[in-house]
Amino acid sequence: MRDEILKLEEQSVALEPSPILRKEWTDSVNQYANDFIDNIETTPAYVISEENGRALLNHDFRESGTAIDDVLKILKENVDSIGLNPASGGHLGYIPGGGIYSTALGDFLAAVTNRYAGIFYGGPGAVRIENQLIRWMNGLIGYPSGSLGNLTSGGSIANLIAIVTARDKKQLRARDVENAVIYLTEQVHHCVQKAIRIAGLNESVIRYIPMDSEYKMSAEALAKQVEIDRGSGLKPFLVVGSAGTTDAGAVDPLDAIADIAEANDMWFHVDAAYGGFFILVESLKEKFKGVERSDSLAIDPHKGLFLSYGLGAVLIKDVKAQFESHYYKASYMQDTLGINEELSPADLSPELTKHFRGLRLWLSLHLFGLEPFRACLEEKYLLCRYFYEEIQKIGFEVGPLPQLSVCMYRYHPKSGDVNEFNLKLVEFVKEDGRVFISSTNLNGVTWLRLAVLSFRTRLKTIDILLEVLKDGVNHLEDKK
Ligand SMILES: *Cc1c(COP(=O)(O)O)cnc(C)c1O
């Protein structure tokens, strides 16, 4: 048996590359990454491709390895040169972020050291880092010390953890689901509806509360509806507000919603996945008044702190409730019990083994300090305001005054269908490719959206968009 094992070892040691090979790989990857960043300003935000990376399927996984430069070539041609480029400052659609470089370094270190951030017993330092980051965010929002939460892969899972915690804390058993009422607006992000379904609450009564002209929840209408529901013997249990909706960037009247939630013993959850970090900007703080009165909140560092995809957070005041919804004991985990200087992420989320995703944020905050983040957020807010002014000068209709960094706008052509014209305008911008925008539809009306949140978006980027839109209008009007 020993001989057999030693023979296999000769092959398996290949998984530990020699220092020379490691250097070769790292140098190549570094070169690739540096080329990518050095050329980002002139790389299109969108590339239309016929192939859509289909050639990837021609490369089967083989028994023996392939040289790194050949592998990177496949990646470049079939992945990094087509479709949307989320790293581009020209990405002005959906909700961008960009992906600051320190994210990659944090991930690299987390992957090499493979520290375990799931349980304090195994990775006390890693768990401390994650909980420290969560507490820092709790501080920003104004949650009391003693609150916690979890670092998630993104806002969707963050919202799910909060809703599951709310369900359990309010002691909804299966038989109570039908009579429980959830309050939201039609502008809530669709992952909230998804979370409601996954949490087994789809059969609850779901009330879409009317909004004002700025797409904010009407607190008055909410109060009325809760009263009606209580009167008819239903159990109002959860209200979900948004601090920055995806379509319009609207911040619901959080303070007034908190009053209603408090008076009716409802869980108040805030989806701040997009907008939450704007609270770092002194002049925008006021918009978040009352957010500290919520029970839980979702916030995405991979949006508002410009990290690469893969980091969201849920913040929860009642950590005991969060724990009770998510912990479990298993006999093979018995050694880990009793050591609890810090609560373990594995007891506060559905995950056990997890990526040490906090390291990328910890490294970024330490390397840069907070100042450039605050400035960058304020810059993005003002870029949106600038666009809002300028786009009207070239004849576009605009939606409500942007509260954060999303602006809705549309063009009314001399003749023909307005919605269709605006969708063609999206296509025109995509074909140009320097910048990328997306559209939405509110009550049958097509709006174009500008979402400024890539850290690489500059004044000149917005000027390019204005220029392309103007050209697009002229081109489409001429063609008719
Ligand atoms: C992006 C977003 C989400 C979903 O977050 P992911 O990180 O994409 O999972 C939820 N709510 C709002 C308001 C968002 O902008």
Side-chain angles (χ1 to χ4, degrees):
M1 185 142 50
R2 287 179 61 91
D3 287 348
E4 202 181 334
I5 292 171
L6 289 173
K7 214 165 145 236
L8 287 168
E9 186 181 296
E10 278 171 30
Q11 290 172 308
S12 75
V13 288
L15 294 179
E16 186 76 273
S18 69
I20 292 172
L21 186 57
R22 217 161 56 222
K23 182 168 184 322
E24 186 191 317
W25 286 357
T26 312
D27 286 351
S28 288
V29 167
N30 232 335
Q31 183 69 48
Y32 186 96
N34 285 331
D35 283 350
F36 184 87
I37 296 173
D38 292 343
N39 291 309
I40 194 76
E41 284 215 26
T42 51
T43 309
Y46 197 96
V47 177
I48 298 171
S49 144
E50 293 275 304
E51 279 300 301
N52 283 322
R54 213 169 284 122
L56 285 165
L57 307 178
N58 302 337
H59 300 281
D60 287 333
F61 305 111
R62 304 181 310 200
E63 280 299 317
S64 57
T66 307
I68 184 126
D69 290 332
D70 294 340
V71 180
L72 292 179
K73 188 161 171 279
I74 299 170
L75 182 70
K76 180 162 177 151
E77 286 171 3
N78 300 290
V79 179
D80 289 335
S81 308
I82 56 168
L84 176 62
N85 180 359
S88 164
H91 179 12
L92 304 167
Y94 311 113
I95 302 286
I100 49 177
Y101 186 63
S102 51
T103 317
L105 300 180
D107 278 3
F108 179 75
L109 289 174
V112 168
T113 62
N114 204 21
R115 285 285 145 179
Y116 180 52
I119 293 188
F120 187 77
Y121 170 81
V127 168
R128 269 191 215 282
I129 279 187
E130 298 225 334
N131 286 354
Q132 184 186 12
L133 289 165
I134 295 165
R135 288 194 194 101
W136 172 69
M137 288 185 263
N138 280 325
L140 289 183
I141 297 303
Y143 277 9
S145 63
S147 311
L148 207 60
N150 185 247
L151 297 185
T152 61
S153 57
S156 302
I157 303 297
N159 281 310
L160 177 64
I161 291 175
I163 286 171
V164 164
T165 303
R167 178 197 67 196
D168 296 350
K169 173 69 186 181
K170 296 298 178 189
Q171 299 181 325
L172 286 197
R173 296 157 306 174
R175 74 181 83 137
D176 303 320
V177 167
E178 269 183 19
N179 283 322
V181 195
I182 302 172
Y183 302 86
L184 5 119
T185 71
E186 272 173 4
Q187 281 291 295
V188 90
H189 191 276
H190 74 272
C191 76
V192 171
Q193 282 121 336
K194 229 161 104 173
I196 287 170
R197 194 177 65 212
I198 296 169
L201 299 172
N202 226 18
E203 287 164 13
S204 294
V205 181
I206 299 183
R207 300 279 189 224
Y208 287 95
I209 302 303
M211 295 171 282
D212 64 14
S213 58
E214 294 183 301
Y215 303 101
K216 298 180 195 168
M217 184 188 286
S218 155
E220 232 172 59
L222 172 67
K224 266 198 207 128
Q225 187 63 53
V226 172
E227 179 121 359
I228 293 170
D229 291 338
R230 284 174 65 117
S232 54
L234 296 172
K235 182 182 161 51
F237 117 84
L238 168 69
V239 52
V240 180
S242 303
T245 57
T246 310
D247 272 343
V251 181
D252 286 331
L254 304 173
D255 213 29
I257 296 174
D259 286 340
I260 299 163
E262 230 169 73
N264 293 280
D265 191 30
M266 289 193 285
W267 186 283
F268 178 23
H269 174 67
V270 176
D271 181 2
Y274 151 60
F277 284 109
F278 281 100
I279 208 168
L280 279 166
V281 180
E282 205 47 52
S283 61
L284 298 178
K285 270 211 170 95
E286 182 60 25
K287 295 182 196 281
F288 295 87
K289 191 165 178 285
V291 70
E292 72 287 351
R293 297 175 62 199
S294 61
D295 295 290
S296 57
L297 178 136
I299 187 167
D300 266 354
H302 68 197
K303 289 177 180 164
L305 290 179
F306 322 111
L307 299 199
S308 311
Y309 293 152
L311 190 65
V314 61
L315 311 179
I316 298 184
K317 268 187 190 159
D318 188 339
V319 60
K320 187 162 170 281
Q322 188 191 354
F323 179 86
E324 282 174 358
S325 287
H326 294 95
Y327 86 101
Y328 218 87
K329 292 194 174 81
S331 49
Y332 45 81
M333 301 290 292
Q334 63 185 6
D335 304 334
T336 69
L337 297 173
I339 301 181
N340 49 12
E341 258 181 84
E342 283 285 344
L343 279 170
S344 294
D347 288 327
L348 299 168
S349 83
E351 290 182 294
L352 178 57
T353 305
K354 68 189 282 277
H355 174 48
F356 179 16
R357 55 176 70 96
L359 186 52
R360 42 165 50 204
L361 179 55
W362 182 84
L363 191 70
S364 301
L365 294 180
H366 276 311
L367 287 177
F368 291 116
L370 295 180
E371 197 176 56
F373 289 101
R374 288 187 209 278
C376 198
L377 283 160
E378 189 165 13
E379 177 198 14
K380 303 320 166 205
Y381 164 73
L382 289 176
L383 285 174
C384 185
R385 279 296 176 94
Y386 167 76
F387 177 82
Y388 178 80
E389 302 293 328
E390 295 300 313
I391 193 72
Q392 294 179 70
K393 292 184 193 160
I394 55 174
F396 279 70
E397 178 195 357
V398 288
L401 182 71
Q403 284 207 282
L404 299 173
S405 68
V406 177
C407 174
M408 289 165 43
Y409 57 101
R410 65 202 300 255
Y411 192 80
H412 290 265
K414 290 193 203 90
S415 62
D417 186 84
V418 184
N419 284 359
E420 217 172 275
F421 185 92
N422 282 280
L423 290 178
K424 279 191 190 145
L425 214 41
V426 176
E427 280 309 302
F428 183 89
V429 175
K430 199 161 102 180
E431 273 164 33
D432 176 89
R434 282 177 292 167
V435 290
F436 174 84
I437 55 168
S438 59
S439 70
T440 189
N441 190 296
L442 294 179
N443 303 320
V445 177
T446 293
W447 288 95
L448 305 183
R449 287 172 65 260
L450 166 81
V452 195
L453 203 60
S454 166
F455 76 101
R456 292 192 173 106
T457 302
R458 306 284 171 226
L459 191 55
K460 62 184 178 214
T461 325
I462 302 298
D463 286 339
I464 291 173
L465 174 61
L466 288 163
E467 183 193 310
V468 179
L469 286 170
K470 202 164 147 187
D471 288 352
V473 165
N474 289 337
H475 175 79
L476 292 171
E477 289 276 40
D478 280 354
K479 242 173 51 177
K480 284 199 300 213

